[in-house]
């Protein structure tokens, strides 16, 4: 079992939390993992990505080679498109459709979505809308993770455990909101 | 330990074992060995040199530096750190066909490297960052064998390595990958919405508009983003504390006015010494100490001079009437511009403290308060 995943978005959208949930779940089942990302000042409203590799064998490189990623999980559509050169020919792109527009020259959103849809293995979801319906607008990142959950090679229950572990110190409400977001994303995918 | 950016930004699962007990507290037997008086420093350097052969011996035999044989002797590889991970990736974590040395300890293991050169037609050095090993072995060998790496262009002279660059250097085929869509644009980092620094930069820009550009010496923090559009307010960021000292140097050399921008926590780290120097020389500079009550860039840690910045400035000798507090808010913009102009015109050291809490920590705190009430 081996999964190479690019997690993408804009600083502040919860990219590191997605990585942490997958990370905790992978550790629980005893998989090897390597994760590499940017953070610090470079994240303030800028593009953020994480290279996330999990495998049942030891992993060599901290970075995924170009054209080798099995999955792109993105909380922002243009950021999903940015990492397409990383994706392998069988790879899936799973992305939010709500753009994060903090630059004056953001391209037309419809164009971005249609470029993404040129790749047949795509799941596009308005995760912000789903998160708002759940009255937990900040958990759009976990909705996306829910959509991606069948492709991770990890049991769904392990992701739930990981959410409990990661958000536990923030209290029960935050844990439940994120569990609901994960479920909503999973159900959207299965529809 | 040679830390490179990627190494510093990587995580992995680790195997844990029992924690080692703390070392016993022990003072040196020779009570002046750390006193580097010239007479002692000369002695210590001799001692250091004398230990070199044993360090070299250690380097060959400790097991940290590994010589791994390979069938294909057309190339010998010297690799270190994270570059080893990329090399291994290109052979699916399996056997590497070329003989190679993995460097994990200095000094470089000269005998191992000579053996590699004896056996192979060419040497390639793969290392992240500056080509330190590559440069060192050119002197070490002096035998005319071709060394490939960052200097001969086999690997780009600058920039971060990745598995694809290593594949290209080794002449391995790399996969065709999807094209980059041409509608994508860059998304540089920026100050948060509502950030106090943004209001400060707007006020500084307006107050300084009558002077030519290039006079604002700054430092490292979130406010370094003031170099980018739409502010383009600052002109330097070199190392912590270099804001005040560079402004002083510029003013002393005749660039008037010269101003400087430093964050509250950077000020305590290494700004106070420079401020004292400016006060002693009565250098005509205006220093902005951006007080957002926190060390924002690294995640909102405690700021060591919280609540005492004015007192520190007074203690260092800045005149009380030239320590001005402003609140960086849109509604105060005109007043703030006026105050900045007044202090920039003063022929001595002025400190302006734009004071308003970081919006990130403010939001966190108000959430915690809300929760406590529930």
């Amino acid at each position: 079992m081996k999964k190479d995943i690019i997690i993408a978005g804009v600083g502040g959208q919860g990219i590191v939390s997605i990585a942490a949930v997958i990370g905790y779940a992978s550790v629980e089942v005893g998989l090897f993992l390597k994760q590499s990302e940017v953070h610090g000042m470079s994240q303030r409203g800028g593009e953020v990505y994480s290279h996330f590799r999990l495998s049942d064998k030891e992993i060599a490189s901290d970075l995924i080679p170009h054209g080798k990623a099995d999955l792109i999980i993105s909380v922002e559509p243009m950021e999903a498109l940015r990492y397409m050169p990383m994706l392998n020919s069988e790879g899936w792109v799973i992305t939010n459709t709500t753009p994060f527009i903090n630059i004056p020259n953001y391209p037309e959103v419809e164009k971005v979505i249609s470029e993404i849809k040129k790749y047949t293995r795509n799941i596009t979801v308005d995760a912000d809308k789903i998160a708002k319906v759940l009255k937990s607008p900040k958990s759009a990142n976990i909705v996306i993770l829910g959509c991606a959950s069948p492709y991770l090679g990890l049991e769904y229950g392990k992701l739930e455990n990981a959410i409990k572990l990661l958000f536990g110190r923030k209290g029960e409400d935050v844990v439940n909101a994120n569990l609901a977001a994960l479920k909503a994303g999973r159900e959207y995918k299965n529809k | 330990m040679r830390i490179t950016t990627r190494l510093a930004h990587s995580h992995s699962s680790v195997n844990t074992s029992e924690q080692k007990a703390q070392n016993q507290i022990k003072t040196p037997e020779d009570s002046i060995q750390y006193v580097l008086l010239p007479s002692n420093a000369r002695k210590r350097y001799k001692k250091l040199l004398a230990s070199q052969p044993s360090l070299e011996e250690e380097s060959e035999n400790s097991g940290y530096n590994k010589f791994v044989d390979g069938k294909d002797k057309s190339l010998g590889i010297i690799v270190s750190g994270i570059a080893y991970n990329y090399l291994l990736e290109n052979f699916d974590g399996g056997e590497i066909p070329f003989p190679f040395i993995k460097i994990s300890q200095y000094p470089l293991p000269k005998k191992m490297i000579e053996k590699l050169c004896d056996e192979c037609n060419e040497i390639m050095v793969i290392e992240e960052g500056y080509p330190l090993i590559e440069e060192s072995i050119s002197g070490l060998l002096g035998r005319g064998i071709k060394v490939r790496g960052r200097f001969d262009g086999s690997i780009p002279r600058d920039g971060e390595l990745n598995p694809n660059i290593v594949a290209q250097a080794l002449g391995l085929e790399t996969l065709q990958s999807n094209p980059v869509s041409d509608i994508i644009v860059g998304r540089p980092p920026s100050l948060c919405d509502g950030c106090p620094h943004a209001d400060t930069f707007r006020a500084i820009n307006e107050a300084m508009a009558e002077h030519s550009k290039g006079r604002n010496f700054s430092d490292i923090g979130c406010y370094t983003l003031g170099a980018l559009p739409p502010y383009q307010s600052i002109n330097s960021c070199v190392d912590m504390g270099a804001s005040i000292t560079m402004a002083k140097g510029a003013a002393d050399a005749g660039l008037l006015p010269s101003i400087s921008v430093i964050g509250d926590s950077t000020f305590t780290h290494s700004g106070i010494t420079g401020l004292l120097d400016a006060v002693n020389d009565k250098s005509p500079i205006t220093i902005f100490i951006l007080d957002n009550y926190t060390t924002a860039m690294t995640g909102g840690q405690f700021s060591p001079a919280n609540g005492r910045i004015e007192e520190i400035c007074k203690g260092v000798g800045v005149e009380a009437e030239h320590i001005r507090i402003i609140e960086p808010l849109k509604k105060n913009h005109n007043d703030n511009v006026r105050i900045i102009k007044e202090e920039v015109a003063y022929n001595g050291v002025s400190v302006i403290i734009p004071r308003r809490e970081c919006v990130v920590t403010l939001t966190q705190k108000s959430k915690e308060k809300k929760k406590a009430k529930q």
Side-chain angles (χ1 to χ4, degrees):
Chain A
M1 184 276 184
K2 181 169 166 290
K3 290 282 171 198
D4 286 340
I5 307 164
I6 299 284
I7 307 168
V10 179
Q13 283 192 310
I15 281 74
V16 175
S17 298
I18 297 180
V21 173
I22 305 175
Y24 282 142
S26 312
V27 170
E28 199 197 328
V29 296
L31 291 171
F32 290 97
L33 69 93
K34 274 198 178 176
Q35 181 193 346
S36 183
E37 67 214 2
V38 288
H39 42 218
M41 183 179 69
S42 52
Q43 82 173 39
R44 303 222 181 274
E47 60 204 59
V48 176
Y49 64 87
S50 174
H51 284 230
F52 199 104
R53 316 191 76 189
L54 49 124
S55 173
D56 52 10
K57 292 189 191 69
E58 226 172 302
I59 300 160
S61 170
D62 307 58
L63 292 174
I64 301 168
H66 289 245
K68 287 276 186 81
D70 301 296
L71 276 180
I72 294 174
I73 302 175
S74 181
V75 193
E76 209 284 338
M78 183 173 73
E79 296 310 318
L81 201 51
R82 192 186 301 282
Y83 298 100
M84 285 304 190
M86 300 300 299
L87 201 62
N88 72 34
S89 54
E90 306 284 301
W92 280 85
V93 54
I94 294 142
T95 182
N96 194 0
T97 54
T98 305
F100 189 100
I101 302 177
N102 62 343
I103 42 172
N105 54 341
Y106 194 95
E108 277 177 52
V109 183
E110 295 73 27
K111 269 194 188 158
V112 174
I113 304 293
S114 74
E115 288 271 305
I116 291 168
K117 288 190 170 165
K118 282 183 187 166
Y119 296 86
T120 46
R121 293 182 176 83
N122 74 75
I123 297 172
T124 54
V125 52
D126 190 345
D128 280 52
K129 198 169 144 193
I130 293 177
K132 261 183 214 137
V133 171
L134 294 172
K135 296 201 169 54
S136 139
K138 284 194 77 184
S139 55
N141 58 337
I142 302 298
V143 173
I144 295 286
L145 178 63
C147 293
S149 60
Y151 300 94
L152 297 170
L154 293 165
E155 268 176 56
Y156 185 74
K158 302 294 177 199
L159 295 173
E160 289 184 317
N161 293 349
I163 283 178
K164 287 172 198 161
L165 198 61
L166 179 68
F167 295 107
R169 66 182 174 85
K170 290 187 175 175
E172 206 178 327
D173 291 348
V174 178
V175 170
N176 289 335
N178 281 291
L179 287 174
L182 187 76
K183 189 162 166 249
R186 177 83 168 201
E187 281 167 359
Y188 178 91
K189 156 65 187 84
N190 288 338
K191 254 185 225 168
Chain B
M1 184 90 79
R2 188 177 170 194
I3 296 284
T4 57
T5 308
R6 185 58 54 192
L7 196 59
H9 284 249
S10 283
H11 321 214
S12 182
S13 42
V14 292
N15 296 323
T16 54
S17 58
E18 210 165 311
Q19 198 173 345
K20 251 175 81 176
Q22 193 185 319
N23 292 342
Q24 272 191 325
I25 291 174
K26 203 174 78 181
T27 52
E29 275 165 36
D30 176 0
S31 63
I32 64 160
Q33 94 179 62
Y34 294 120
V35 184
L36 294 184
L37 282 165
S39 59
N40 208 15
R42 281 192 286 268
K43 230 162 50 188
R44 297 295 303 168
Y45 188 50
K46 265 190 212 299
K47 197 163 175 181
L48 185 68
L49 291 174
S51 66
Q52 207 61 17
S54 68
L55 293 176
E56 281 167 15
E57 190 65 28
E58 180 78 15
S59 208
E60 301 281 355
N61 302 315
S62 69
Y64 289 114
N65 292 323
K66 288 190 188 80
F67 186 107
V68 180
D69 210 0
K71 285 180 201 120
D72 185 348
K73 312 278 187 193
S74 63
L75 186 72
I77 298 171
I78 300 173
V79 63
S80 75
I82 201 152
Y84 173 70
N85 296 1
Y86 302 149
L87 177 67
L88 207 59
E89 179 73 23
N90 277 294
F91 299 98
D92 291 325
E95 201 179 311
I96 294 165
F98 309 104
F100 72 93
I101 301 171
K102 178 170 187 279
I103 303 287
S104 302
Q105 184 178 15
Y106 299 123
L108 292 174
K110 197 174 168 186
K111 285 180 198 155
M112 264 185 214
I113 294 173
E114 278 179 339
K115 182 169 180 254
L116 192 74
C117 292
D118 286 340
E119 290 181 4
C120 302
N121 303 343
E122 279 184 355
I123 299 294
M124 178 176 292
V125 184
I126 313 174
E127 60 189 313
E128 185 75 300
Y130 185 85
L132 177 85
I133 297 171
E134 194 177 339
E135 195 167 61
S136 308
I137 65 164
S138 61
L140 200 65
L141 296 170
R143 51 196 282 173
I145 187 167
K146 186 170 180 190
V147 177
R148 294 172 56 198
R150 287 201 189 259
F151 285 120
D152 85 327
S154 297
I155 295 169
R157 181 65 181 80
D158 65 333
E160 189 189 348
L161 296 179
N162 61 38
N164 303 79
I165 289 174
V166 172
Q168 267 165 7
L170 293 172
L172 301 170
E173 275 191 11
T174 50
L175 286 171
Q176 284 286 323
S177 61
N178 296 324
V180 181
S181 166
D182 55 13
I183 63 168
I184 294 171
V185 292
R187 192 192 304 260
S190 57
L191 294 174
C192 304
D193 281 343
C195 174
H197 302 331
D199 290 302
T200 301
F201 284 133
R202 280 188 210 109
I204 290 175
N205 283 357
E206 189 175 326
M208 294 294 287
E210 61 196 85
H211 307 287
S212 63
K213 288 190 181 295
R215 299 162 182 272
N216 190 352
F217 301 88
S218 189
D219 226 298
I220 178 76
C222 289
Y223 50 93
T224 312
L225 294 171
L228 304 178
Y231 314 103
Q232 294 173 289
S233 189
I234 64 163
N235 310 104
S236 77
C237 165
V238 179
D239 60 59
M240 285 174 87
S243 50
I244 299 178
T245 48
M246 282 174 73
K248 180 190 183 295
D252 291 351
L255 184 72
L256 298 172
S258 287
I259 65 172
S260 134
V261 171
I262 185 169
D264 51 343
S265 60
T266 308
F267 175 67
T268 48
H269 180 279
S270 44
I272 302 169
T273 324
L275 180 62
L276 178 62
D277 206 22
V279 167
N280 286 344
D281 288 349
K282 213 172 183 302
S283 298
I285 58 173
T286 303
I287 298 152
F288 294 82
I289 304 173
L290 310 181
D291 185 8
N292 58 0
Y293 303 127
T294 188
T295 310
M297 183 177 75
T298 49
Q301 291 83 358
F302 174 71
S303 176
N306 206 350
R308 287 178 292 166
I309 294 174
E310 296 94 304
E311 294 310 311
I312 292 170
C313 293
K314 275 183 211 160
V316 166
V318 182
E319 298 153 281
E321 61 272 31
H322 292 289
I323 300 172
R324 312 283 295 267
I325 319 288
I326 62 173
E327 191 185 15
L329 278 172
K330 272 195 190 74
K331 63 170 186 181
N332 300 335
H333 179 77
N334 291 339
D335 283 341
N336 292 345
V337 171
R338 178 180 51 78
I339 291 168
I340 295 170
K341 281 187 174 172
E342 282 168 16
E343 293 308 326
V344 168
Y346 174 59
N347 188 25
V349 176
S350 299
V351 170
I352 298 177
I353 306 172
R355 175 170 288 151
R356 177 155 74 80
E357 183 163 5
C358 166
V359 284
V360 175
T361 56
L362 187 69
T363 320
Q364 279 166 0
K365 276 186 202 160
S366 63
K367 262 191 209 156
E368 279 161 22
K369 263 189 205 158
K370 232 190 204 169
K371 216 190 227 170
K373 270 187 195 165
Q374 278 171 0

